[in-house]
Amino acid sequence: MARYLVFGRKDSQEQMRYVGEVDAPNAEMGLSQARQCFSRRDEADEIWLAPADETLRYRRGASEGLDHSYREIQTYADLGRRRRLIEANIPATKLTEDESLSSSGPDLHS
Amino acid sequence: MTVATAPAGRALRVTNPQLQDLDPALRDAYGRLLVAMADSELVLGHRHSEWTGFAPAAEEDVAFSSIAQDEMGHAHLYYALVTGASDEGAVDSLALDRGPRSMRHLPLLHAPNGDWFFTIARQFYWEVWETVVLDAALGSALPLLASAAQRILNEEVYHEEHAMQWLTLLSSREPQRRRLQAALRRATAIGGDPARRLDGLAEVGAAGKLPPEDDLATRFTTALRERLATGGGWNSPDITSALDGLAGRGPWATPPGLLQLHRDLTGMRRAHPGATW
Amino acid sequence: MAVAIRGEAPTDRDSFLAHVQAGGKVEASDWMPDDYRAGVLKFLEMHANSEFMGAMPEREWIPRAPSLMRKLTLTAKVQDEVGHAQILYSLAEDLGKPRTQMLDDLVHGRSKFHNVFHYPVPTWGDVALIGWLVDGAALVTQHALLESSYAPYARALRRICAEESLHLKHGEALTLQLSSGTPAQRKMFQSALNAWWEALMHFFGPPSDPTRDLLIQYRVKTKGNEELRQEFIDRYVPRIWSLGYSLPDPALRKLDDHSWEYTPPDWDRLKQVVTNHGPESERRLALRRAFWRKHAAVRALLD
């Protein structure tokens, strides 16, 4: 018997995800049995099988310590507030249709 | 609720409104064939479901149980073609209100499961037969048959995959391969060729609605031989020995197990007439 | 006492205990104290054994189910139980005990399975009761385990609980059909209630002291036996009564504080049953042994 990891997805919108494991004498029977073990109610339209001892695993350990928040959308959490402050300080007569913020340049509104 | 049952001795009544335009003799033969296939699937599904919890490994237990359920589902489909309704009362009545001698399944299928070798041999045998007869049914002019055959064949793809995997696995080493060969020899000795034994099949063939009996028998033998050679790696003399019983023309001994099976299947219904469960 | 730095996996018993008691989870590849590993393995093995043996009472009725649809749904239910055993044996194996060894221990009576699977199933009334109340009891326990510190178990239980919820509906459907049927059918269910009540009360185990339960300390389990039993009684007794059935315990009643009073079951009897001296224990184990041996030639090809 060899152990196989089973992956499945219901439709093409999803990514494959791990759904369980089977013990089988070979990969063909493993795949065949995995369909019944993990998709007999049609939970998955597509199933993949991988030999357990040929998969490599990584698990994240302690945090590395440096600040990587520049990669995250929360860095820009204050954009709305800053835009409102700027708009509040611009006299209405100074704006023409051509100069209005809504038609100039890329949209920075979140 | 229309009921198409018949106690032993009376002809089967096909009550499906969609089949009433058929010539009465053809309708009767078609009905008998449908019930023969339905009873066969019910009986084999019953036997296969007895393995639930006791298959050689848990993964196989789950897989084989799906096959058993599919077979019982196919029986339901065939019965509903005869009654013209899938209301449970009509289907249950047709399936379960006949005596054991009025059941029309291939008798091989009611033999007790025995060991896994006999079970796989019998499943392989019946699975290949179904593929042959249902493939032929795809081209039949009999009303409702082609579409039913397509739906069943869609599930049979998995059954065939399973049978071939087990044929290969059990043939991969001795003494297992010899045990499988002996089991298949026993299955064909008891079963013979379904093309010659299923009630209604010869008449439907003679009426041109399915291939003739000889044609189906040839296709069946060819299909078995081909799979045993490619999937099992068996040599020709071993194949010939295992399929020896196909050429038999009877008389056929009935294997044991029918009365107990019938008691199990119908006991609750007879003990509580009219009750719903 | 070492305190775990946030994000670092514990590598000594004290920080491990702090980790799980703070809601932290444990994976199969994490360092764990020997008693945690042994305790989880034993718990998983018993659960797997119980699902596997749990298939046996109901499978006796698959051949005799009273209609085609019930035959199908009962087969599917028992299939699920075997599927749960498959999942749980795999999890247990990841903690270091091979599946073949667990099965060998089981069929030779060296390991345990839940009390309820040691009892006979003489009628369809028992089949209905098992689907509704035995699965109902199992679901109370398994629902509480969804918070288990052992993460692979908690994840597997999501699938298992979803399928058990379906079984519960099946059991309830069978029960309601009997309850609205003939007098003989109602009597069938009442007889089953009389026969099974003690086993259902036994199912959750004797009231225990959570501070001395290692699995609770380690948050593998999150609720004590009595709490689970009370939950079961509170959920199902009113429904049983409202269907017009009686229960064979005259002391059963709800108190002002909303807890339930009941006649304490015979705990020695439970011990007898789970050490494989129940009415069906030996027969079922013998049947499992017979098939285990019978399949040896096939198992040789699987290994």
Side-chain angles (χ1 to χ4, degrees), chain B residues 135-154:
Chain B
D135 272 344
L138 287 178
S140 174
L142 283 171
L144 308 177
L145 185 61
S147 57
Q150 185 60 73
R151 290 175 65 193
I152 293 171
L153 276 170
N154 291 341

Side-chain angles (χ1 to χ4, degrees), chain A residues 1 21-23 25-26 28-29 32-33 35-37 40, chain B residues 57-60 62-63 66-67 158 161-162 165-166 169:
Chain A
M1 285 284 210
E21 304 188 13
V22 289
D23 284 0
N26 56 62
E28 288 70 33
M29 289 185 81
S32 191
Q33 290 169 346
R35 287 157 55 192
Q36 298 309 315
C37 286
R40 59 186 179 276
Chain B
E59 287 84 351
E60 176 57 25
V62 173
S66 283
I67 290 175
Y158 179 74
E161 185 182 301
H162 174 275
Q165 285 168 356
W166 276 99
L169 187 67

Side-chain angles (χ1 to χ4, degrees), chain C:
Chain C
M1 177 183 114
V3 175
I5 298 166
R6 193 181 74 82
E8 235 178 48
T11 52
D12 65 83
R13 197 178 184 283
D14 288 337
S15 51
F16 182 92
L17 191 62
H19 170 70
V20 296
Q21 289 190 343
K25 303 302 179 190
V26 182
E27 298 288 351
S29 54
D30 286 344
W31 180 88
M32 51 184 96
D34 287 344
D35 58 357
Y36 183 89
R37 180 183 298 273
V40 173
L41 172 57
K42 191 168 173 198
F43 197 73
L44 286 174
E45 188 178 1
M46 179 151 180
H47 191 174
N49 288 344
S50 299
E51 296 280 355
F52 202 40
M53 295 306 289
M56 292 190 70
E58 288 168 293
R59 62 167 298 291
E60 293 167 15
W61 273 92
I62 292 171
R64 295 178 284 160
S67 74
L68 286 194
M69 283 315 299
R70 293 305 188 201
K71 197 177 174 79
L72 268 175
T73 58
L74 187 59
T75 307
K77 177 183 194 295
V78 178
Q79 176 188 41
D80 285 347
E81 313 295 2
V82 180
H84 297 167
Q86 186 270 334
I87 290 170
L88 293 163
Y89 280 126
S90 291
L91 290 187
E93 197 167 39
D94 288 342
L95 286 172
K97 187 171 179 182
R99 195 199 292 191
T100 47
Q101 199 184 326
M102 288 188 274
L103 291 171
D104 200 68
D105 281 349
L106 174 66
V107 305
H108 292 107
R110 293 188 289 264
S111 57
K112 296 197 170 122
F113 56 99
H114 286 315
N115 70 308
V116 283
F117 305 121
H118 294 254
Y119 289 87
V121 190
T123 74
W124 188 255
D126 301 88
V127 176
L129 183 142
I130 290 171
W132 189 36
L133 298 176
V134 171
D135 281 31
L139 203 50
V140 166
T141 304
Q142 288 168 14
H143 210 262
L145 289 166
L146 288 170
E147 303 296 315
S148 181
S149 61
Y150 191 60
Y153 191 32
R155 289 190 294 262
L157 281 166
R158 283 161 61 180
R159 180 188 187 88
I160 290 172
C161 284
E163 291 179 349
E164 293 290 351
S165 300
L166 176 66
H167 300 171
L168 196 62
K169 293 287 177 199
H170 153 96
E172 198 178 349
L174 261 56
T175 301
L176 290 178
Q177 193 63 62
L178 292 176
S179 305
S180 57
T182 65
Q185 285 176 304
R186 281 194 62 92
K187 190 165 169 217
M188 209 184 268
F189 192 76
Q190 179 64 68
S191 298
L193 282 169
N194 297 343
W196 282 86
W197 191 247
E198 182 186 58
L200 288 169
M201 288 295 97
H202 274 161
F203 177 78
F204 302 94
S208 55
D209 178 357
T211 64
R212 299 176 66 182
D213 187 336
L214 195 67
L215 291 178
I216 291 191
Q217 290 304 300
Y218 275 137
R219 297 294 186 271
V220 177
K221 300 193 315 189
T222 54
K223 290 188 184 174
N225 296 348
E226 188 55 29
E227 187 179 353
L228 294 171
R229 183 174 20 254
Q230 287 285 333
E231 211 177 292
F232 173 78
I233 295 174
D234 197 55
R235 187 171 305 169
Y236 291 101
V237 168
R239 293 188 204 177
I240 293 167
W241 281 342
S242 74
L243 286 173
Y245 296 108
S246 65
L247 286 167
D249 181 1
L252 190 61
R253 69 188 183 101
K254 193 162 182 171
L255 303 174
D256 291 336
D257 66 357
H258 304 295
S259 72
W260 287 81
E261 191 175 69
Y262 56 91
T263 309
D266 177 356
W267 295 115
D268 286 335
R269 175 91 182 113
L270 172 61
K271 193 170 287 181
Q272 259 191 323
V273 170
V274 294
T275 52
N276 297 324
H277 299 103
E280 290 287 301
S281 316
E282 192 38 50
R283 193 185 67 83
R284 286 183 181 148
L285 286 174
L287 195 52
R288 278 244 167 265
R289 263 196 309 276
F291 277 102
W292 180 244
R293 289 176 190 155
K294 198 165 168 177
H295 285 318
V298 178
R299 284 190 288 107
L301 296 175
L302 295 174
D303 287 331

